[in-house]
Amino acid sequence: MTLDFHSALLTKKQYLLSELQTRGLRLLDETAGAASRRGGAGPTDHKAVTVLGTTIMAPVHTRGAKDSAYVATQPDARGVSKLMEGAEVVCEISFPPQPQFYALQTLDGIPYWKIAQLHSRDTLATTVLQTCIRYGNAATKCQFCAIGESLKAGRTIARKTPEQLAEVAAAAQRLDGVRNVVMTTGTPPTPDRGATVLAECAVAIKRATGLPIQGQCEPPVDFAAFAQMRDAGIDALGMHLEAWDEEVRARIMPGKAEVPRTFYLEAFAAAVAVFGRGQVSTYLLAGLGDTIESLHEAARVLIDLGVYPFIVPFVPVTGTPLAGRPPPGADFMRAVLAPVGEWLAAAGMTSDTVKAGCVKCAACTSLSSFEQRQPAL
Ligand code: SF4
């Protein structure tokens, strides 16, 4: 493994996780581990892989992954593969197995895997409403999003009921040791932006499992929705800016950008007052156009507010307008993430203090690996 000047102070783990998440992983055996979903919301075109003790979602079906220098050999009888870079063996890696709850179905015949998916090792994730007011129109849809694709392909259902989610969550907890739940939603045409639907589902999941839950939606018009979500059993909240620079937001997600950043900041402050510091987070997709400086400004403002900036490398997803856009370079990601990890640690807002959701799971970015100072390579 060759290390450049910027990465000289990184640990092997920090280096490798950021390499794999930006360059992708080529699989010699595509059936290794749990089935990966192509297209759709969340970490699509990815597979969960455990590297040096940390499980991440690595792109495996993207264009970049097919040309990646990193190759996983066929797993042996223990499910362990070798991670190769050219002729060099980098380390051993493994793939979490297919969850057992995927084999079950509801009484009316809907497979559980169409209702919720296992992300990483122990996070159950669902998109409660698989439709979005912004998606059907090229003038408003987010250019990176594929929420309608998995629905079109019959890999999920349009709306998951509280009863279905409670049933699947209980099975995933019992059979696969799931420890927290993420519920996201496409944006409905209502001023609550989906908060009520999330709250109804949270009541049912909490009653059935007691698991910690993160809800994710656009900022509701009335911030009273935050207390309603918390009272329903939602422990952490995500409201996703996706990009910081208003020009980037308007270009990449013209519909969502009609809600200005200033409104998000007001919503963050109100949500932190309800859920607590660090329990509110926002996705920022690095690689959409924000500079390193812009993402650092975002992180400073957000951490000051008590919001965790979940900075994730943008991954071009098949079937979206941005499918051909290259992902950010690994050096860019490391330059962004290294200081942010230190700021989060200094603020006491590390991923392990979060109750549920993407920040807790931490598989879509190597940011949490930068929260601790580790001995350099
Ligand atoms: S970080 Fe979020 S989107 Fe990524 S794997 Fe974990 S729960 Fe899923």
Side-chain angles (χ1 to χ4, degrees), residues 41-43 46 56-57 117-121 123-125 180-182 214 216 283 310 312 357-365:
H46 284 56
I56 58 165
M57 301 302 286
Q117 295 256 321
L118 184 73
H119 282 192
S120 187
R121 294 199 80 81
T123 300
L124 186 70
N180 76 118
V181 179
V182 182
Q214 185 201 31
Q216 301 182 350
Y283 260 80
F310 194 61
V312 170
C358 288
V359 177
K360 177 103 199 146
C361 167
C364 282
T365 169

Side-chain angles (χ1 to χ4, degrees), residues 41-249:
T44 53
D45 294 357
H46 284 56
K47 199 178 266 282
V49 53
T50 303
V51 183
L52 302 175
T54 295
T55 303
I56 58 165
M57 301 302 286
V60 293
H61 296 311
T62 57
R63 210 177 290 173
K66 292 190 182 14
D67 298 328
S68 174
Y70 293 99
V71 177
T73 62
Q74 188 152 18
D76 65 17
R78 300 167 299 149
V80 174
S81 297
K82 287 190 182 62
L83 177 66
M84 309 290 298
E85 186 188 9
E88 186 189 345
V89 178
V90 180
C91 63
E92 287 191 337
I93 57 175
S94 61
F95 297 91
Q98 179 94 327
Q100 295 184 55
F101 79 87
Y102 279 17
L104 303 181
Q105 60 178 31
T106 60
L107 278 181
D108 47 349
I110 302 168
Y112 278 10
W113 59 265
K114 289 192 180 185
I115 295 169
Q117 295 256 321
L118 184 73
H119 282 192
S120 187
R121 294 199 80 81
D122 56 13
T123 300
L124 186 70
T126 185
T127 303
V128 177
L129 301 176
Q130 197 78 29
T131 51
C132 177
I133 40 163
R134 311 200 186 284
Y135 191 74
N137 184 341
T140 56
K141 77 190 283 186
C142 301
Q143 305 282 295
F144 50 80
C145 180
I147 193 170
E149 300 310 304
S150 42
L151 186 59
K152 243 189 277 168
R155 290 189 296 260
T156 186
I157 56 174
R159 182 179 184 138
K160 289 82 175 178
T161 67
E163 295 73 26
Q164 288 170 338
L165 287 170
E167 183 178 331
V168 174
Q173 182 183 37
R174 187 176 71 250
L175 298 173
D176 298 291
V178 156
R179 290 157 66 101
N180 76 118
V181 179
V182 182
M183 291 188 299
T184 190
T185 181
T187 302
T190 49
D192 74 333
R193 305 296 189 216
T196 308
V197 173
L198 292 174
E200 286 166 3
C201 294
V203 168
I205 294 171
K206 199 66 133 197
R207 194 182 295 138
T209 66
L211 286 170
I213 301 169
Q214 185 201 31
Q216 301 182 350
C217 59
E218 287 192 40
V221 171
D222 182 354
F223 296 161
F226 297 138
Q228 286 157 9
M229 283 194 273
R230 179 204 54 203
D231 296 346
I234 291 178
D235 302 276
L237 184 70
M239 295 185 287
H240 303 324
L241 277 166
E242 324 286 9
W244 183 249
D245 188 290
E246 288 287 20
E247 183 278 321
V248 177
R249 296 186 71 231

